[in-house]
Amino acid sequence: MAEVRREDGLREADSATLSNFAQFRLHRLHLELRVEFEQRRLAGAAELTCSRRARSAADDAAIECVLDTRNIKVHAVLVNGERTSSWTLDAEHGHEVFGTPLRIALPESVYSSDEEFQIRIEYETGENASALQWIAPSGTHGGEYPFLFTQCQAIHARSLAPCFDTPAAKCPYSARIVSPEWSTALCSALMTSSTTAPDELDASKRVKISTFDQPIACSSYLIAIACGQLSKIDLSPRACVWSEPGVVADAASEFAAAERFLSTAEEITALPYAWTSYAILCLPPSFPYGGMENPCLTFVTPTLLAGDGSLADVVAHEIAHSWTGNLVTNSTWNHFWLNEGWTMWLQRKIVCAVKSKPLLFDLDARNGIAQLRDDIALFGEDNVLTALCPPLSGVDPDDAFSRVPYEKGFQFLLHIERELGSELFLQLFRSYLATFQNKTITSERFRKFVVDFVAEKRGPQNALAVDWDTWLYAPGMRAMGKPYVELVSALDGTLADAALKFAESWRSEGELPSDGGDDRWNSMSTVERVLVLERLLECPFPPAMAFCERYDLLESRNCELRFRALMLCLKNGALATHPTKVRASVEQMLSTQGRMKYTRPLYREYSKHASDDAKALFAKLNHFYHPICAKMVAKDLARTS
Ligand SMILES: [Zn+2]
């Protein structure tokens, strides 16, 4: 465990790193990597440029540099260009989740000086590097070439390269990637060159050499690499879409609103987009998340390709992270809600402004509440992991992942907005970005910032009526009490009420509602339809199968609808009444995408009704999924049996 040192002198423990990052300033990270598809590994070097922080009694231990690694094979270590043998992979202090610390003794000339120094580690990634997914040609759309992508959030960067794997250690980074001649390599950085040349290791072959530079300091979890057969379509002078050649046209039309999302975000934040260019990479279907906000290069799942742009909110979310998360960053994973709560708030503002539908904000917030309710029920109302600032000592951040930091974080910010009024809250948001951009932040620092801001704007006698301790540290939602109930009931119900009425008439009549019927369903947006399905999921609904068949939901291209329809059928016993159709639909969805939002609940529900079938299916598909998804489904299935 190390401590995060900040300018204000407060210290915050980061239990998820075994490094001693707090004793150094990290100035730059440079990666030189070969993408070796046949061996399924990255091989090359990582070079860190650091300097010691000003010495104090507590810093005596800085005679060594300790880096995070997991499953990394180290071949050599050089300090300031000199090869050293004074290093060890310290398995004794290793941890199954947090990895194996790499201890490098520093020569006296380095540790007794405050000058910058370089540490170069020559290494290759291990067989089960959790950040990497190697996809065989059969798992791609084109079917001809393999594909590689990385996912470093939360603590997987240490399996990609030795590093200070904590959000608190931000630095600019650069990369030189050597890949097969047929491929395109991309990084979460600006591409500075791309050429083909004879392979240094085998002159009979040619390779692609691409270089990248990320001049803005970013945390290790934002490092990203992808490599495959890729094509690009420009959306605007600064925005584009990348994907496999057979997918890129669909992706470009689905995400055509990206430039409008960007310029709208600039208006709301009053801060220009800092990262120069913006690309969306639509990945093969095993990508485990909806999107990942890698700087300059958002990764998205192809499950967003609904054909009508209706799921592009995820792109607005990842674009919002360009400010909240990537510029202003949680200093440890205990404060993840500051990344995600703010991003949900900004995402909803962007989408409402772009669609010119202010009521969408409240409607989408209601959907968020439904997701929050489900996740809190899953973890348990008293589970400490449902606090906004959960205690994470010894906990794998992947185990703590839920909608809590997103939706409870959003609700908390909405609560503050309601107390302050929208105008003053927008000022607070802009001031927050301007103050903390390029820095990292904790919840207590945020609290002090808000309290000071309100005192300055409204005078100390008009302090904010917010119960900070309960919101930040109490688990579940019940403890939030009256303010939360009032928050929910104050959400505008114009759009939601029509959708809920539709759901209620289906429930009470058990068939098509007599007033309006199909026309009402057909005129609803995806968000409204999701709300209908969420309401029907709340309690038993025997005509689930008839409902889903009437609207072709089990075959829908819209994964948000298809997923909820399958959950509705499973929960209401349709596996017993329509075994062939339901089993085929469940297996189809689980074998064609690996997004955890759908995959984990579907396996959990499937295994409640057909435990052996669920396990057999997972055994067959295990290698199709990303390592993070496979790990979490395995845990879920072990728990349900
Ligand atoms: Zn996010």
Side-chain angles (χ1 to χ4, degrees):
M1 180 182 301
E3 285 184 324
V4 180
R5 180 204 302 270
R6 294 197 323 268
E7 303 308 318
D8 58 10
L10 295 172
R11 280 163 181 256
E12 171 79 16
D14 184 354
S15 58
T17 176
L18 302 177
S19 74
N20 65 345
F21 73 95
Q23 296 178 336
F24 299 95
R25 284 184 198 285
L26 178 60
H27 301 284
R28 175 162 280 274
L29 171 68
H30 177 66
L31 299 172
E32 291 170 11
L33 294 170
R34 288 173 67 87
V35 180
E36 300 182 339
F37 280 106
E38 275 160 35
Q39 296 87 348
R40 296 196 157 201
R41 71 180 177 204
L42 297 174
E47 196 168 279
L48 292 85
T49 304
C50 311
S51 60
R52 279 191 53 151
R53 287 193 180 271
R55 264 158 288 172
S56 71
D59 287 338
D60 281 349
I63 56 172
E64 62 172 4
C65 177
V66 185
L67 299 173
D68 289 303
T69 77
R70 189 169 55 229
N71 270 328
I72 294 257
K73 292 178 195 161
V74 176
H75 299 310
V77 176
L78 292 84
V79 178
N80 282 340
E82 299 278 335
R83 190 176 276 258
T84 173
S85 56
S86 301
W87 60 269
T88 173
L89 278 167
D90 183 5
E92 196 185 319
H93 294 98
H95 185 278
E96 191 192 345
V97 173
F98 303 122
T100 310
L102 170 61
R103 297 182 177 280
I104 301 164
L106 298 175
E108 195 190 346
S109 59
V110 167
Y111 74 71
S112 60
S113 147
D114 294 331
E115 300 282 299
E116 284 186 13
F117 62 95
Q118 273 92 34
I119 294 181
R120 181 181 170 89
I121 301 113
E122 294 175 355
Y123 73 98
E124 64 186 60
T125 56
E127 213 171 298
N128 298 313
S130 57
L132 308 179
Q133 189 174 18
W134 300 93
I135 300 173
S138 60
T140 66
H141 186 270
E144 196 179 343
Y145 295 105
F147 200 103
L148 162 73
F149 68 85
T150 64
Q151 168 61 38
C152 287
Q153 194 179 36
I155 57 166
H156 300 284
R158 65 194 65 180
S159 72
L160 168 65
C163 60
F164 292 132
D165 199 5
T166 168
K170 281 185 163 187
C171 73
Y173 88 93
S174 51
R176 178 182 185 271
I177 307 289
V178 177
S179 62
E181 192 180 15
W182 54 263
S183 70
T184 298
L186 298 173
C187 281
S188 53
L190 304 169
M191 188 187 280
T192 45
S193 71
S194 181
T195 53
T196 58
D199 188 350
E200 292 151 7
L201 300 186
D202 177 356
S204 70
K205 282 190 197 155
R206 291 186 71 78
V207 289
K208 181 85 69 80
I209 300 173
S210 311
T211 59
F212 302 88
D213 185 47
Q214 179 49 269
I216 299 178
C218 54
S219 307
S220 54
Y221 78 89
L222 293 173
I223 295 169
I225 301 170
C227 185
Q229 192 195 23
L230 293 168
S231 300
K232 179 177 86 144
I233 292 180
D234 287 328
L235 298 175
S236 77
R238 62 176 168 179
C240 71
V241 170
W242 286 95
S243 195
E244 288 189 68
V247 181
V248 71
D250 282 352
S253 81
E254 199 80 32
F255 307 132
E259 175 56 45
R260 288 177 66 207
F261 289 154
L262 278 169
S263 51
T264 305
E266 288 178 311
E267 282 165 28
I268 297 170
T269 59
L271 200 60
Y273 177 73
W275 308 84
T276 308
S277 67
Y278 178 75
I280 299 167
L281 172 61
C282 187
L283 288 162
S286 56
F287 181 59
Y289 295 101
M292 176 63 209
E293 65 270 25
N294 299 310
C296 304
L297 185 68
T298 286
F299 284 9
V300 294
T301 162
T303 62
L304 301 182
L305 302 176
D308 56 4
S310 60
L311 304 181
D313 292 12
V314 170
V315 171
H317 180 94
E318 307 312 333
I319 283 176
H321 271 307
S322 305
W323 288 265
T324 50
N326 296 2
L327 275 190
V328 181
T329 310
N330 51 215
S331 68
T332 74
W333 299 112
N334 305 73
H335 310 286
F336 188 41
W337 79 271
L338 282 166
N339 275 17
E340 295 302 344
W342 270 119
T343 299
M344 289 310 301
W345 182 86
L346 181 53
Q347 169 203 327
R348 287 175 173 143
K349 290 284 179 202
I350 294 169
V351 170
C352 289
V354 166
K355 295 188 177 169
S356 305
K357 282 189 183 165
L359 294 182
L360 267 185
F361 188 90
D362 287 26
L363 179 66
D364 201 52
R366 279 174 187 265
N367 272 338
I369 289 169
Q371 294 170 27
L372 180 62
R373 178 202 61 210
D374 289 352
D375 271 10
I376 287 183
L378 186 68
F379 277 77
E381 173 77 23
D382 299 324
N383 189 320
V384 290
L385 293 181
T386 64
L388 270 189
C389 299
L392 289 181
S393 185
V395 176
D396 180 350
D398 287 339
D399 286 340
F401 186 83
S402 74
R403 294 308 291 176
V404 168
Y406 294 76
E407 298 295 350
K408 191 174 178 179
F410 168 82
Q411 294 292 336
F412 183 40
L413 293 170
L414 192 61
H415 177 43
I416 297 175
E417 181 175 15
R418 291 274 158 78
E419 291 295 315
L420 276 184
S422 292
E423 210 169 299
L424 198 53
F425 187 76
L426 185 62
Q427 278 183 42
L428 175 126
F429 174 54
R430 290 172 172 178
S431 172
Y432 167 73
L433 293 178
T435 306
F436 295 104
Q437 60 176 322
N438 304 314
K439 294 184 179 142
T440 62
I441 184 167
T442 65
S443 301
E444 287 300 330
R445 186 69 192 82
F446 175 67
R447 173 185 187 153
K448 183 177 183 311
F449 170 78
V450 174
V451 169
D452 291 350
F453 177 90
V454 175
E456 188 200 317
K457 297 287 175 187
R458 300 204 306 200
Q461 70 284 6
N462 287 318
L464 207 54
V466 166
D467 181 355
W468 286 88
D469 286 334
T470 302
W471 274 96
L472 292 180
Y473 302 111
M477 287 315 296
R478 276 200 292 274
M480 310 310 131
K482 203 164 152 237
Y484 177 63
V485 174
E486 285 173 359
L487 205 62
V488 174
S489 59
L491 289 172
D492 182 274
T494 314
L495 294 173
D497 288 349
L500 295 178
K501 204 171 149 219
F502 180 82
E504 285 313 322
S505 52
W506 256 96
R507 194 200 297 288
S508 57
E509 294 166 34
E511 57 186 27
L512 191 64
S514 39
D515 60 328
D518 291 338
D519 289 346
R520 272 170 46 198
W521 174 264
N522 292 334
S523 67
M524 283 183 208
S525 66
T526 293
V527 194
E528 291 163 282
R529 290 176 181 180
V530 165
L531 200 62
V532 170
L533 286 160
E534 286 290 344
R535 174 53 66 96
L536 294 176
L537 277 161
E538 279 173 18
C539 32
F541 179 58
M545 196 68 192
F547 178 84
C548 294
E549 285 185 326
R550 181 160 198 102
Y551 301 116
D552 295 329
L553 292 176
L554 298 184
E555 296 83 33
S556 175
R557 265 187 83 182
N558 186 317
C559 287
E560 289 290 314
L561 301 181
R562 181 148 55 105
F563 158 66
R564 287 179 176 84
L566 284 169
M567 292 294 281
L568 193 64
C569 288
L570 286 172
K571 277 177 190 278
N572 288 286
L575 200 55
T577 55
H578 299 73
T580 312
K581 177 154 191 186
V582 174
R583 178 171 286 114
S585 300
V586 168
E587 298 198 350
Q588 207 269 345
M589 185 146 195
L590 287 173
S591 61
T592 51
Q593 58 76 44
R595 183 177 174 186
M596 288 196 285
K597 178 182 183 182
Y598 308 139
T599 305
R600 291 184 61 192
L602 265 180
Y603 268 111
R604 285 197 297 261
E605 195 59 38
Y606 192 30
S607 77
K608 279 186 203 162
H609 307 278
S611 173
D612 291 346
D613 291 350
K615 281 192 188 126
L617 185 67
F618 178 61
K620 198 168 79 182
L621 294 172
N622 193 347
H623 294 288
F624 163 71
Y625 300 124
H626 187 278
I628 299 173
C629 179
K631 171 180 81 172
M632 298 316 294
V633 172
K635 284 186 186 183
D636 289 342
L637 289 179
R639 217 172 283 140
T640 41
S641 63

